[in-house]
Amino acid sequence: MNLKRNGALLGVVAAGALTLAACGSDNNAASTDVDASASAATCEGKETLSAAGSSAQKNAMDQFVSTYIAVCQEKGKNVNVAYNPSGSGDGRTQFIANQIDFAGSDSAIKAEQAAQAAERCAGNPAWNLPLVFGPVAIAYNVDGVDNLVLNGETVAKIFNGTIKQWNDPAIAALNEGVSLPDSAITPIVRSDSSGTTDNFQKYLEAASNGAWTTGAGSDFTGGIGEGAKGSAGVAQAVASAPGSITYVEKSFADQNGLTVARIDNGSGAVELTDESAGKAIEAATFAPTGEGDLTLDLSSIFGTTQEGAYPIMLATYEIVCSAGYDADTSAAVKSFLVSAANEGQEGLAEQGYVPLPESFKARLTESINAIA
């Protein structure tokens, strides 16, 4: 049976790495249809799960929860997941302290925190399960230039100040036949700490042939550019400033009518689409962190040379206990995540995310089912 649900609480994507207001997901609804009979979610275990963390995945989490509620209602079960988008660091801290059932995070839990999480999980490792992906656009404002092509090296040199003019020979070489203006480039960068900045700089480290030397991190390290706060801030700044360029989530580029560069990953120029972003996700490999854990080897995405694969992505994880939950919590966590990884993915593209490719979805579901 198909269930029609209200869309009042989905909202719009706002500032930050797809950042929205820091409020919980206690009451959720969605505007999509879902076939409850086709869901593998058991809807078993405790009725209400608690979670906190990444604001980048907040809109996706709203959809996952509302879909899960509808599926379980059709199966005669009342469930909920209360998600607070309080930030990745806070989510990991609360998970370690056993204050929530799982955490959302823009980066995998590791090192000392991973050891602390294992203590919380009764001596069992915590697993990083990548569930939400969002592409990062290189958006620009150059009158008359609608199909700009850049690569990792030229992007790095623009954002470290080595390339200063739009008609620089390195840019011209990638855009044969395009009339590039003899005007200054104005990089617009995030003035606040963000997972978007971190992932963008990790891309530059992986794909710039050594041109990016200042490292990664949540704060911009390039040393140049005009700062603006949040994803909405940088997108609006580029929209109003001819000659400017920024890195920003695709949804914000779309909302502000910005032109987005194609990225040459070494196998030709790639337009940012759901299909091209999905190819990069599908080809991603995982770090050797142990069976069940799906910590991504981000260089396999950022450094991809696969034809037609768009390489600049933001991935967010759900951090869970591989074992050590009580039986009711384990059943509920597994049931919710199975739903989120499958029917919950429908319609994510409308919110600026990339739905999981089938092969990746299968690998993720396998790990979810292995939670003890």
Side-chain angles (χ1 to χ4, degrees):
M1 176 179 179
N2 285 338
L3 303 176
K4 195 76 173 179
R5 288 160 288 137
N6 186 283
L9 296 182
L10 277 179
V12 294
V13 184
L18 294 177
T19 305
L20 295 176
C23 57
S25 301
D26 295 318
N27 298 295
N28 295 275
S31 58
T32 57
D33 292 330
V34 60
D35 184 358
S37 64
S39 175
T42 65
C43 303
E44 295 176 349
K46 68 180 185 180
E47 289 188 356
T48 299
L49 288 169
S50 60
S54 168
S55 57
Q57 65 176 23
K58 197 269 182 183
N59 266 8
M61 188 60 67
D62 279 352
Q63 175 163 312
F64 297 156
V65 174
S66 58
T67 298
Y68 184 55
I69 289 171
V71 165
C72 293
Q73 284 178 342
E74 179 60 19
K75 296 184 177 185
K77 302 286 185 68
N78 291 320
V79 299
N80 196 15
V81 180
Y83 184 79
N84 182 10
S86 55
S88 297
D90 180 69
R92 294 192 299 271
T93 297
Q94 288 197 52
F95 179 76
I96 289 168
N98 203 12
Q99 295 171 343
I100 53 176
D101 298 316
F102 67 92
S105 179
D106 296 342
S107 57
I109 197 166
K110 56 188 176 182
E112 182 180 355
Q113 283 196 324
Q116 294 169 341
E119 290 183 21
R120 173 260 156 95
C121 296
N124 302 288
W127 283 350
N128 302 283
L129 304 180
L131 185 62
V132 181
F133 289 84
V136 178
I138 305 300
Y140 65 95
N141 182 346
V142 180
D143 189 37
V145 180
D146 299 324
N147 291 294
L148 184 72
V149 177
L150 297 171
N151 59 15
E153 185 172 352
T154 55
V155 173
K157 289 181 177 179
I158 287 170
F159 282 91
N160 68 18
T162 304
I163 292 178
K164 302 178 184 295
Q165 297 291 119
W166 279 109
N167 64 347
D168 185 280
I171 299 177
L174 293 168
N175 294 273
E176 187 176 353
V178 176
S179 179
L180 297 168
D182 183 12
S183 59
I185 299 174
T186 303
I188 307 292
V189 304
R190 289 283 292 269
S191 60
D192 54 328
S193 296
S194 80
T196 311
T197 296
D198 189 23
N199 281 269
F200 172 65
Q201 294 181 129
K202 286 177 179 175
Y203 160 72
L204 296 181
E205 286 185 315
S208 68
N209 294 320
W212 190 257
T213 60
T214 54
S218 298
D219 295 316
F220 181 72
T221 65
I224 66 159
E226 297 182 4
K229 186 175 181 180
S231 297
V234 296
Q236 291 163 8
V238 169
S240 61
S244 60
I245 187 170
T246 194
Y247 55 92
V248 69
E249 294 86 348
K250 179 179 181 293
S251 60
F252 288 95
D254 292 344
Q255 289 168 16
N256 287 273
L258 301 180
T259 308
V260 174
R262 292 180 291 158
I263 301 297
D264 188 340
N265 67 8
S267 298
V270 181
E271 182 182 357
L272 173 49
T273 64
D274 291 341
E275 181 182 6
S276 63
K279 282 187 176 181
I281 297 170
E282 194 168 23
T285 59
F286 302 97
T289 51
E291 187 175 355
D293 181 77
L294 296 181
T295 299
L296 292 162
D297 175 3
L298 290 173
S299 64
S300 67
I301 296 177
F302 299 143
T304 183
T305 58
Q306 180 183 359
E307 185 176 356
Y310 184 83
I312 316 177
M313 303 289 293
L314 173 68
T316 64
Y317 297 90
E318 311 314 319
I319 299 173
V320 302
C321 289
S322 60
Y325 289 122
D326 62 78
D328 281 347
T329 301
S330 177
V333 167
K334 292 168 69 173
S335 180
F336 169 67
L337 292 180
V338 164
S339 177
N342 290 278
E343 62 268 12
Q345 298 289 313
E346 296 177 14
L348 281 187
E350 298 170 8
Q351 300 181 55
Y353 301 104
V354 183
L356 297 177
E358 289 300 320
S359 60
F360 193 98
K361 188 186 300 183
R363 178 72 181 271
L364 176 60
T365 302
E366 182 181 345
S367 286
I368 294 169
N369 286 332
I371 297 172

